[in-house]
Amino acid sequence: MVETISIEETTNISPNNPPFTQTHTLPLSHLDIDLNLHVTFRYFRVYAYPSNQIPDPFNLITSALRTALGPYYPLTGTIRPVGGGGYELLCTPNRGIPVVKASMDFSLETLNYLDDPDESLSDQLVPNPDPNEAMEHPMILQITLFKCGGYVLGSAVHNMLCDGMGASEFFTWVAELTRGETRLMVEPVWNRDVLLGPREPTRVEFPFGEFLSLDKEFSPYMQNVGPVVRVCFPMLEKWLDRFKEYLVERSGSKFTTFEALGAFIWQARVKASNIPKDRKVKFAYLMNIRKVTKPALPKGYWGNGCMQMYVQLTAEELLNQPIWKTAMLIKNSKYNATDEYVRSYIDFQKENYDKGITAGQDVSGFTDWRHLGHSKVDFGSGGPVTVFPLSKHFMGSIEPCYFLPYSSHGRNKLNDDDLGFKVLVCMRESARMKFMDQMDKFCKLDFDLS
């Protein structure tokens, strides 16, 4: 039986003190309008605290939103195309963001605090706008109240408007307002066309064309690989420690968890997916460039401040080379992230945007959510016990992978042998069994993927 959420109302939440009276437009940077980011990112936070601590979460949060949307008023805007290619943000007086109020006649405990939720349930917790609605309302929220007094804040945010860090800054400010804060410690900064604009004249110093696709007929999120499913499983520190030792023994180099586990999962997924050997496959991830640019982006900049980085091989090369070599390629790719690399990429976007720049096919996107500070989004009774992404489309990939912290509720029940985190992998359903066989080998400390 599929649990059903009841939708009670949708309210338009606009700023208490309208910050402007005239319709105007705001420019977006070439990092914002990257076609790989032409997608709504969906995720939820679970707050499992009794209602006597927060009697009415919906009114509390929407009241704070009305204040927060003053300095963050672009969230009420509309993304629209501009002549010659690209997009801009249209800001109109008295607009707001839609906030859905919903309820569910279950306790969060009976649902295991949504630590690994059933897909049919989790998709009801977050708005899922169609492409046109997502441009019209780049941010749509849903607050679902549970019988136990806990609640879930579901967020659907268009990635062109801000990245995960930018969205977290906004939600952190909303949460601070609910706890009694009255002024922003750091004012939000727009200035996107100036801070991350192309140079005059443009100058491209890196061979982006070697790993990016120029095909205006291709849309990364319209690829058809059959049904895509979410697979969530624990990753224990003891397994990772042994795998890293294995890599050191063979390479003489140390690797981070992201580099080591990312390499294994990438190889395992490509192997399980039966991708033709001569096909190019990509490992994609985001690198924060806020302190890389010269000058560094100012505090308060909440636009897209990350660059997509890539490792590219043929499927045959990936499957035949030692796993430590793959981890080394991921490790070394980070050193490309320089100010010149960022500026060249922006210039490349300027020169080629109308040709349709994407990462192409067979992209495996990886992102690490373990240290993003989600616990700081505290509306007065503690941070979220679970944070869970729903998006199967991210970074030009239809098969993203997320490293996630355990829910705080689940973590409290763990013994030392179970310490680690969760891995959430989106993959074509046809590859699921073979992929999990490979991960089972990893758990048994068998790291040979041949």
Side-chain angles (χ1 to χ4, degrees):
M1 177 179 176
V2 177
E3 298 87 352
T4 302
I5 290 173
S6 298
I7 302 297
E8 298 181 7
E9 63 177 307
T10 299
T11 305
N12 182 66
I13 303 299
S14 54
N16 278 333
N17 299 307
F20 63 95
T21 57
Q22 299 293 321
T23 297
H24 61 281
T25 59
L26 293 173
L28 295 166
S29 78
H30 274 284
L31 294 190
D32 293 324
I33 65 172
D34 188 322
L35 293 177
N36 293 314
L37 301 183
H38 201 326
V39 64
T40 295
F41 195 85
R42 304 170 63 233
Y43 63 109
F44 63 76
R45 295 179 172 93
V46 178
Y47 294 87
Y49 299 100
S51 57
N52 60 4
Q53 291 184 325
I54 297 183
D56 191 341
F58 184 84
N59 283 345
L60 180 79
I61 294 172
T62 53
S63 176
L65 280 169
R66 293 186 192 280
T67 300
L69 286 172
Y72 280 95
Y73 77 86
L75 290 169
T76 69
T78 296
I79 301 172
R80 68 178 188 180
V82 296
Y87 294 85
E88 65 184 6
L89 191 69
L90 175 67
C91 300
T92 306
N94 303 317
R95 274 180 57 92
I97 63 173
V99 181
V100 180
K101 183 178 183 180
S103 63
M104 191 171 187
D105 195 25
F106 281 83
S107 71
L108 286 165
E109 184 177 12
T110 62
L111 299 173
N112 197 31
Y113 299 92
L114 300 168
D115 189 42
D116 181 9
D118 180 86
E119 198 163 325
S120 61
L121 170 60
S122 63
D123 280 347
Q124 297 179 63
L125 292 166
V126 183
N128 190 17
D130 64 38
N132 290 331
E133 185 183 7
M135 301 289 274
E136 179 72 17
H137 295 289
M139 174 177 279
I140 307 176
L141 305 180
Q142 178 174 321
I143 299 171
T144 305
L145 309 177
F146 286 76
K147 185 170 67 172
C148 58
Y151 60 97
V152 171
L153 174 60
S155 306
V157 185
H158 202 293
N159 220 150
M160 281 194 182
L161 203 56
C162 58
D163 60 14
M165 294 183 69
S168 289
E169 285 183 22
F170 171 71
F171 285 117
T172 298
W173 168 230
V174 175
E176 288 174 352
L177 287 168
T178 66
R179 303 198 310 272
E181 186 57 75
T182 58
R183 66 183 184 88
L184 275 169
M185 298 303 293
V186 180
E187 289 289 330
V189 174
W190 193 264
N191 255 6
R192 303 189 180 193
D193 56 332
V194 175
L195 294 169
L196 291 174
R199 296 176 288 199
E200 288 292 344
T202 56
R203 186 176 75 249
V204 178
E205 300 286 346
F206 291 85
F208 297 108
E210 292 181 3
F211 53 85
L212 294 177
S213 171
L214 298 179
D215 181 0
K216 61 183 178 181
E217 302 300 322
F218 175 78
S219 173
Y221 302 121
M222 296 299 289
Q223 299 176 71
N224 183 12
V225 296
V228 174
V229 297
R230 301 186 189 106
V231 179
C232 193
F233 53 89
M235 180 53 55
L236 304 190
E237 293 290 353
K238 61 183 179 182
W239 301 338
L240 282 167
D241 290 344
R242 182 63 194 97
F243 182 50
K244 290 178 186 178
E245 291 172 6
Y246 171 90
L247 295 178
V248 170
E249 291 167 1
R250 282 153 180 78
S251 69
S253 297
K254 293 183 178 181
F255 299 95
T256 66
T257 293
F258 184 80
E259 295 158 359
L261 185 59
F264 190 94
I265 290 176
W266 184 29
Q267 189 170 340
R269 178 157 54 193
V270 170
K271 181 179 179 66
S273 300
N274 294 321
I275 294 173
K277 290 183 177 181
D278 61 348
R279 185 88 62 79
K280 291 179 179 178
V281 293
K282 299 182 183 72
F283 180 104
Y285 64 98
L286 292 172
M287 174 74 78
N288 184 359
I289 52 91
R290 286 168 170 80
K291 295 182 179 179
V292 170
T293 60
K294 297 178 181 177
L297 296 179
K299 288 184 178 180
Y301 187 85
W302 59 286
N304 282 281
C306 294
M307 271 281 300
Q308 287 193 202
M309 310 298 290
Y310 300 95
V311 174
Q312 176 177 269
L313 295 167
T314 65
E316 183 175 30
E317 289 169 337
L318 176 63
L319 298 182
N320 289 343
Q321 73 180 10
I323 190 70
W324 68 263
K325 286 191 175 181
T326 303
M328 185 65 75
L329 288 174
I330 297 170
K331 182 185 187 76
N332 290 340
S333 68
K334 296 178 179 180
Y335 301 120
N336 285 329
T338 62
D339 179 69
E340 180 56 45
Y341 188 87
V342 174
R343 304 297 176 186
S344 285
Y345 181 72
I346 292 169
D347 289 352
F348 181 80
Q349 286 271 347
K350 172 69 174 178
E351 292 179 1
N352 298 282
Y353 192 82
D354 60 345
K355 299 175 185 175
I357 309 169
T358 69
Q361 294 180 297
D362 298 311
V363 180
S364 296
F366 286 79
T367 187
D368 191 342
W369 277 34
R370 293 175 299 155
H371 311 294
L372 288 184
H374 287 294
S375 61
K376 294 180 181 178
V377 183
D378 173 3
F379 296 105
S381 59
V385 296
T386 303
V387 180
F388 200 88
L390 299 184
S391 290
K392 295 176 181 176
H393 294 166
F394 190 44
M395 292 186 285
S397 172
I398 55 174
E399 298 179 282
C401 173
Y402 304 89
F403 295 173
L404 303 172
Y406 286 129
S407 73
S408 57
H409 173 79
R411 187 171 60 247
N412 292 337
K413 295 183 177 181
L414 299 176
N415 58 46
D416 289 345
D417 289 337
D418 293 329
L419 292 178
F421 54 94
K422 295 184 301 185
V423 177
L424 174 65
V425 183
C426 301
M427 68 175 64
R428 56 199 78 184
E429 190 173 36
S430 60
R432 178 175 183 165
M433 289 186 64
K434 288 180 67 175
F435 174 81
M436 292 309 295
D437 286 344
Q438 298 294 333
M439 296 314 302
D440 186 57
K441 292 174 66 175
F442 186 95
C443 300
K444 294 175 181 177
L445 308 184
D446 177 4
F447 307 128
D448 182 7
L449 284 173
S450 60

